[in-house]
Amino acid sequence: MPDPSSPSPSVEGIASRIDTTVPHPARRYDYLLGGKDNFAADRESAEAMLKVYPSARMAVQENRRFLRRAVSYLAQEAGIRQFLDIGTGIPSVDNTHQVAQSIAAESRIVYVDNDPIVLTHARALLTSTAQGRTAYLDADLRRPREILSHPDLLATLDLKQPVAVLLVAIMHFIVDEDDPYALVEELLAPLPAGSALVMTHFTNDFLPPELAAKIEAAWRENPANGQGRARNAEEIGRFYTDLELVSPGIVPLAEWRAESEPQPRPAARDVTAYGVVGRKP
């Protein structure tokens, strides 16, 4: 198990990579969750988003709840003990390793992100039960081969055993030019039967056309907010072409196995994202 008190060499020099004048999705997400690891540009961007999409704060909270439910299902009911969480973001409550290891202490988790702010919190993520293990990679989803061949990943996960790949609130930042389907296929290709793909993805399916157009325009017209691409249920289903969907399939994320959550559940138009889990046959 990595020693969280030891400095990680990958953290050295990251201050030069942090631009606090430009909003970043991870820091904006942190602000909407009520976190403190954000800057004025992130807060301004989030508040501008709330003016167009007032339920954005609810959406990110429900996204976090979905993560907890999906990891709990995979650890408790599917018996998976290895998790690859890509685009993990700034640590919050119910991080993947906390949920998985509370169910099975021997669970192993690798976190992946390429945001320097997230990297500064690596040591917080690298805490683990004595029986399990966690690791953190400074890497980019757009280069899956580098992730899968990284020495720290290979020292933490056994790719001959099932692995759950978590792509939570990240694929809508991967535009078509980056060939998102090929990226996911490359990530899953070396993993054995029983592995899983967990995804939440922004969609316009539940929005009135005029509101969907406003959100798309805000995304497109402000390059500082980063590129993005809403996808419909059919497009999201293409990521799961060769996988077996876990019931209830591709559904509004607030409704996925949410029987134990506070009722009534938020309306799909207020969360406007799908949640889905699939297993490799």
Side-chain angles (χ1 to χ4, degrees):
M1 180 182 70
D3 180 359
S5 66
S6 300
S8 170
S10 62
V11 178
E12 295 177 0
I14 63 167
S16 62
R17 292 171 51 192
I18 300 173
D19 186 350
T20 62
T21 66
V22 178
H24 189 282
R27 302 195 303 258
R28 185 170 57 228
Y29 189 92
D30 174 75
Y31 172 72
L32 291 170
L33 279 175
K36 299 178 180 178
D37 297 297
N38 49 76
F39 300 95
D42 309 305
R43 295 188 286 272
E44 290 169 7
S45 175
E47 290 297 334
M49 178 188 297
L50 286 166
K51 288 180 180 179
V52 177
Y53 177 35
S55 59
R57 184 170 279 114
M58 177 192 297
V60 299
Q61 292 169 343
E62 287 298 329
N63 191 73
R64 199 71 185 179
R65 287 175 172 163
F66 169 89
L67 171 67
R68 182 187 63 218
R69 297 195 303 272
V71 172
S72 296
Y73 161 78
L74 291 169
Q76 195 158 19
E77 298 186 41
I80 289 181
R81 298 292 178 261
Q82 303 189 111
F83 297 83
L84 176 56
D85 186 341
I86 302 177
T88 180
I90 294 168
S92 182
V93 296
D94 293 335
N95 296 297
T96 299
H97 74 283
Q98 294 170 320
V99 177
Q101 292 181 347
S102 71
I103 295 167
E106 70 274 20
S107 297
R108 295 180 166 223
I109 295 87
V110 172
Y111 292 102
V112 180
D113 208 294
N114 67 343
D115 173 35
I117 287 286
V118 176
L119 186 57
T120 65
H121 293 275
R123 280 195 278 173
L125 286 171
L126 288 172
T127 58
S128 172
T129 59
Q131 302 96 318
R133 189 168 181 175
T134 64
Y136 180 89
L137 309 186
D138 181 17
D140 194 320
L141 169 59
R142 296 173 182 83
R143 295 190 288 275
R145 194 170 304 175
E146 292 181 16
I147 294 173
L148 294 171
S149 62
H150 196 289
D152 291 348
L153 180 143
L154 297 176
T156 307
L157 304 181
D158 178 1
L159 299 187
K160 295 180 181 179
Q161 299 298 321
V163 176
V165 177
L166 278 61
L167 299 174
V168 175
I170 186 172
M171 290 308 297
H172 43 248
F173 294 112
I174 306 297
V175 294
D176 293 343
E177 289 77 6
D178 289 323
D179 201 349
Y181 299 105
L183 295 177
V184 172
E185 183 178 358
E186 191 171 351
L187 277 172
L188 297 179
L191 304 183
S195 294
L197 175 63
V198 177
M199 187 181 296
T200 65
H201 199 299
F202 181 77
T203 186
N204 288 330
D205 283 0
F206 312 118
L207 297 177
E210 60 275 13
L211 178 55
K214 282 184 180 179
I215 293 174
E216 289 286 350
W219 213 342
R220 183 177 59 253
E221 294 169 6
N222 189 350
N225 288 333
Q227 294 181 307
R229 168 78 152 79
R231 293 185 173 92
N232 60 35
E234 181 180 358
E235 291 171 314
I236 293 168
R238 285 180 55 196
F239 290 110
Y240 289 82
T241 299
D242 298 321
L243 305 179
E244 296 175 352
L245 294 180
V246 171
S247 177
I250 302 173
V251 296
L253 70 82
E255 299 175 14
W256 193 91
R257 295 185 173 241
E259 296 79 10
S260 62
E261 299 282 11
Q263 304 293 326
R265 303 304 297 135
R269 67 178 178 275
D270 291 330
V271 177
T272 194
Y274 285 110
V276 56
V277 178
R279 302 285 304 280
K280 194 169 184 178

